[in-house]
């Protein structure tokens, strides 16, 4: 049991207490960040005249040695240390002797762990954002390829009005663009350095906190030492943004599962992204989409957990906050895995365009357009709605679609109908007439595609 704080104790810690308290099993994940933070800290201590340049160099050499030995596997992180901070400091002292004991000058594990967690989540947040961009690019290509691919749009999962696949996918592009911007906002807000806050009340040493912040690529130091060690807002914000990403992926997965079903057959998932059944030879299951939908719960759980952990904690640091890590790490891995797999699944699936188009023709998705036709010929909308209702009933009875009715049949219900009704309620016309920005008409969609193109180019610069 290697601890940093034995001095005022007269007894060994109970083994169970030690294990309950220890965090090394999970905080070893940020050994790199811990060492990077320590190197910045001693660089600043020397620049501020608190350590000599020689001491700084010895400590930095020692820290770099630990880093490369951990990376090569020569040095193993074991549970004989309470946490990653103890591991690094104890190994440093073993390596370079007493000068290693100066590393922790003007620092507490409270500001140290706040820094490590921020450095770690900051990098992961950027990785998640890159995965979001990759998904946006795949969806953008799908939009470009499918401006003329007709399909039914649904409300209440009932066929409503015809749209195109580009329009449907475009809805998700908007969602993931918002996710991208949410992650960017969080990055900007979190990017202030807590190191130098000490245990909670700063230190008596003349630390140059601006220097530490700039060495670690932060915008500047945090401005209140009590807040610095007890702030986990950025974890909450990040998990909230991740939950929203998962909610979007989950909704999309649900649609993929429906579209891939035997009844719909709008799409076919690639064999590489499907799984079979151990008993039913005919099965090809959308397990990836189902798992993405299912895993959404664990990311929500991480958010709920940290919100609950934080709600009753008085200022400043309390050990409860050690609970910020495990579920956050799990949520990061989950979101990254889901984004990568979902992107692969979407980019390899095949569209069954004739089935989608046929489905858009059936189910009276053009009923609103038939009513609009009557309105354009002087019939008040409420009367038009009633007349088209009669047409639908008639078709249901005969098991035909509006386009299958003869002009005589139309005229029998309303004399206003003329030959041009067929053109007015054709699939192409129903979609192409809807051309205000945001609508499925080709011109409107092309405009959005070019806006998205600019967005992608901008974020890739
Ligand atoms: N393992 C601790 C955590 O994750 C590090 C900080 C410990 N500080 C302390 N005063 N015990 O929060």
């Amino acid at each position: 049991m290697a601890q940093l704080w034995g001095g005022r104790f007269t007894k060994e810690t109970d083994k169970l207490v030690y294990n309950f308290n220890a965090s090394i099993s999970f905080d070893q994940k940020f050994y790199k960040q811990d060492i990077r933070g320590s190197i910045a800290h001693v660089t600043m201590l020397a620049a501020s005249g608190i350590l000599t340049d020689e001491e700084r160099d010895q400590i930095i050499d020692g820290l770099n040695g630990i880093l490369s030995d951990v990376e090569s596997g020569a040095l193993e992180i074991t549970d004989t240390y309470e946490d990653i901070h103890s591991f690094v400091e104890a190994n440093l002292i073993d390596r370079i002797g007493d000068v290693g004991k100066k590393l922790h000058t003007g620092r507490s594990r409270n500001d140290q762990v706040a820094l490590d967690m921020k450095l770690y989540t900051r990098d992961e947040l950027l990785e998640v954002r890159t995965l979001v961009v990759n998904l946006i690019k795949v969806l953008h290509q799908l939009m470009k390829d499918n401006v003329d691919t007709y399909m039914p749009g649904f409300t209440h999962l009932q066929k409503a009005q015809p749209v195109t696949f580009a329009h449907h996918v475009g809805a998700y592009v908007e969602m993931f663009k918002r996710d991208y911007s949410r992650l960017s906002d969080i990055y900007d807000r979190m990017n202030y350095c807590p190191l130098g806050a000490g245990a909670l009340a700063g230190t008596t040493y003349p630390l140059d906190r601006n220097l530490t912040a700039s060495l670690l690529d932060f915008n500047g130091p945090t401005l209140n030492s009590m807040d610095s060690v007890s702030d986990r807002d950025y974890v909450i914000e990040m998990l909230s943004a991740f939950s929203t990403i998962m909610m979007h992926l989950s909704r999309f997965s649900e649609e993929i599962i429906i579209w891939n079903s035997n009844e719909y057959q709008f799409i076919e998932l690639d064999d590489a992204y499907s799984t079979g059944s151990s008993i039913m030879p005919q099965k090809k299951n959308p397990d990836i989409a189902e798992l993405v939908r299912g895993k959404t719960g664990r990311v929500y759980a991480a958010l709920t957990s940290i919100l609950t952990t934080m709600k009753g904690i008085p200022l400043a640091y309390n050990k409860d906050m050690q609970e910020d890590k495990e579920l956050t790490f799990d949520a990061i891995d989950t979101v990254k895995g889901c984004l990568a797999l979902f992107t692969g699944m979407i980019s390899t699936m095949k569209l069954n365009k004739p089935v989608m188009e046929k489905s858009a023709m059936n189910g009276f998705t053009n009923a609103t357009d038939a009513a609009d036709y009557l309105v354009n010929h002087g019939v008040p909308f409420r009367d038009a709605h009633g007349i088209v209702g009669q047409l639908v009933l008639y078709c249901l009875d005969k098991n035909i679609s509006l386009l299958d009715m003869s002009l005589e049949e139309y005229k029998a219900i309303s004399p206003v109908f003329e030959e041009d009704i067929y053109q007015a309620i054709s699939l192409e016309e129903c979609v192409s007439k809807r051309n205000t920005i945001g609508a499925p008409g080709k011109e409107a969609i092309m405009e959005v595609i070019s806006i998205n193109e600019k967005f992608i180019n901008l974020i890739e610069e």
Side-chain angles (χ1 to χ4, degrees), residues 71-182:
E71 261 158 18
S72 72
L75 178 61
E76 208 191 326
I77 305 176
T78 64
D79 62 8
T80 43
Y81 302 91
E82 181 188 342
D83 55 28
I84 190 64
H85 325 297
S86 321
F87 166 83
V88 172
E89 194 174 323
N91 273 282
L92 183 70
I93 296 166
D94 284 351
R95 255 166 218 251
I96 65 168
D98 278 356
V99 64
K101 295 180 180 165
K102 296 194 172 186
L103 168 65
H104 212 52
T105 314
R107 189 175 75 171
S108 153
R109 275 186 301 167
N110 297 351
D111 58 346
Q112 191 179 354
V113 78
L115 173 72
D116 291 0
M117 187 68 178
K118 229 180 213 185
L119 289 174
Y120 186 85
T121 49
R122 190 177 72 169
D123 287 349
E124 294 292 340
L125 184 130
L126 289 184
E127 281 190 31
V128 169
R129 200 178 67 169
T130 302
L131 290 165
V132 170
V133 173
N134 293 345
L135 176 55
I136 291 174
K137 287 200 280 193
V138 165
L139 299 179
H140 179 63
Q141 189 57 46
L142 272 177
M143 274 187 90
K144 289 204 281 192
D145 295 344
N146 289 288
V147 288
D148 294 319
T149 306
Y150 299 107
M151 68 179 284
F154 298 86
T155 61
H156 314 271
L157 204 52
Q158 309 266 338
K159 288 182 196 178
Q161 289 173 341
V163 294
T164 62
F165 192 66
H167 190 234
H168 198 118
V169 167
Y172 287 100
V173 172
E174 295 305 312
M175 295 179 225
F176 292 117
K177 273 163 47 187
R178 288 196 294 274
D179 289 327
Y180 175 92
S181 94
R182 244 186 297 277

Side-chain angles (χ1 to χ4, degrees), residues 5 21-23 26-27 30 82-83 85 108-110 113 232 317-325:
W5 40 265
N21 199 43
S23 51
F26 48 89
D27 67 16
F30 41 58
E82 181 188 342
D83 55 28
H85 325 297
S108 153
R109 275 186 301 167
N110 297 351
V113 78
R232 295 295 181 274
Y317 178 82
N318 293 263
K319 194 63 177 247
D320 317 42
M321 286 158 69
Q322 181 166 289
E323 286 298 310
D324 63 352
K325 293 176 196 60

Side-chain angles (χ1 to χ4, degrees), residues 277-319:
S277 156
S278 60
I279 174 169
M280 297 166 282
Q282 85 282 13
K283 293 276 255 166
K284 186 173 147 185
N285 296 328
D287 285 26
I288 300 306
E290 290 169 30
L291 272 173
V292 170
R293 188 177 60 183
K295 282 175 188 291
T296 302
R298 14 187 333 161
V299 179
Y300 291 2
L303 173 63
T304 309
S305 165
I306 182 83
L307 279 169
T308 313
T309 298
M310 296 304 292
K311 79 183 256 299
I313 304 184
L315 294 181
Y317 178 82
N318 293 263
K319 194 63 177 247

